[in-house]
Amino acid sequence: AQSVTQPDIHITVSEGASLELRCNYSYGATPYLFWYVQSPGQGLQLLLKYFSGDTLVQGIKGFEAEFKRSQSSFNLRKPSVHWSDAAEYFCAVGALAGGTSYGKLTFGQGTILTVHP
Amino acid sequence: GAVVSQHPSWVICKSGTSVKIECRSLDFQATTMFWYRQFPKQSLMLMATSNEGSKATYEQGVEKDKFLINHASLTLSTLTVTSAHPEDSSFYICSASQGPLFYEQYFGPGTRLTVT
């Protein structure tokens, strides 16, 4: 079965600083990887996804993520953080390899981002 | 973009009573809806998958008689927590998909359930 680990429960950065949120996954086949953001009172919003091709994926709100198969990682980055980026971020892996996990998402525990002015 | 709503956004109920949570896709038809449960500081855990007009498929360890899911139309799915107990207190999130695969999921804002 697949699993996702987000090592950082809480990260604090200053506005304008760069950001990297870590995500490591475990999956036996080619992973389908996602990053979602959850703001209070709102549903999860898809930031970006990786299915295949270019390992550097561009998303909304200036975010990007890089898939590194050798490290089983899919870290999320942003060059300059805005105060409005404060939220909780979830990495997820999807299974298409069949079995009971087919078509389902497995989420990491989330990383809470705080942005200082 | 596709919008999914949930109602109510929060609910408090007494132990032993039942609570119904609605999940609606507002501007698209959802062939598949997913129900998740999220504990504080923990990940979203998939509870069940429902397809319109058929019985829901529950994940291992989820009591189907306790968490009744109905997906009677292409825009509405309901989750009923029957005979709720304090340990059922949690944040319940639904998502809706226009297709059979997960990558088309759109998430609702969630429902906070507190059982006293």
Side-chain angles (χ1 to χ4, degrees), chain B residues 20-97:
Chain B
K20 180 183 286 187
I21 302 170
E22 292 186 349
C23 176
R24 293 182 184 272
S25 55
L26 298 185
D27 50 4
F28 67 99
Q29 293 187 327
T31 56
T32 305
M33 286 186 169
F34 301 85
W35 286 95
Y36 296 85
R37 185 172 179 177
Q38 185 180 25
F39 292 100
K41 299 184 180 181
Q42 293 190 30
S43 179
L44 283 75
M45 300 297 295
L46 180 64
M47 298 174 65
T49 304
S50 71
N51 293 292
E52 185 264 338
S54 61
K55 289 184 178 179
T57 301
Y58 291 81
E59 295 299 297
Q60 190 173 9
V62 177
E63 299 176 60
K64 62 180 181 181
D65 294 331
K66 180 168 191 61
F67 298 100
L68 301 178
I69 293 173
N70 183 279
H71 191 168
S73 77
L74 287 172
T75 60
L76 173 64
S77 176
T78 60
L79 167 68
T80 301
V81 182
T82 63
S83 186
H85 288 94
E87 57 265 30
D88 299 324
S89 298
S90 190
F91 194 54
Y92 293 88
I93 301 172
C94 75
S95 70
S97 175

Side-chain angles (χ1 to χ4, degrees), chain A residues 38-49:
Chain A
Q38 184 181 33
S39 299
Q42 298 187 20
L44 274 74
Q45 181 182 21
L46 180 65
L47 287 175
L48 47 79
K49 59 181 183 274

Side-chain angles (χ1 to χ4, degrees), chain A residues 3-26:
Chain A
S3 65
V4 180
T5 301
Q6 293 179 245
D8 305 306
I9 296 174
H10 194 171
I11 283 183
T12 300
V13 299
S14 298
E15 190 170 17
S18 63
L19 172 70
E20 182 170 33
L21 302 182
R22 296 184 291 165
C23 172
N24 294 99
Y25 68 89
S26 174

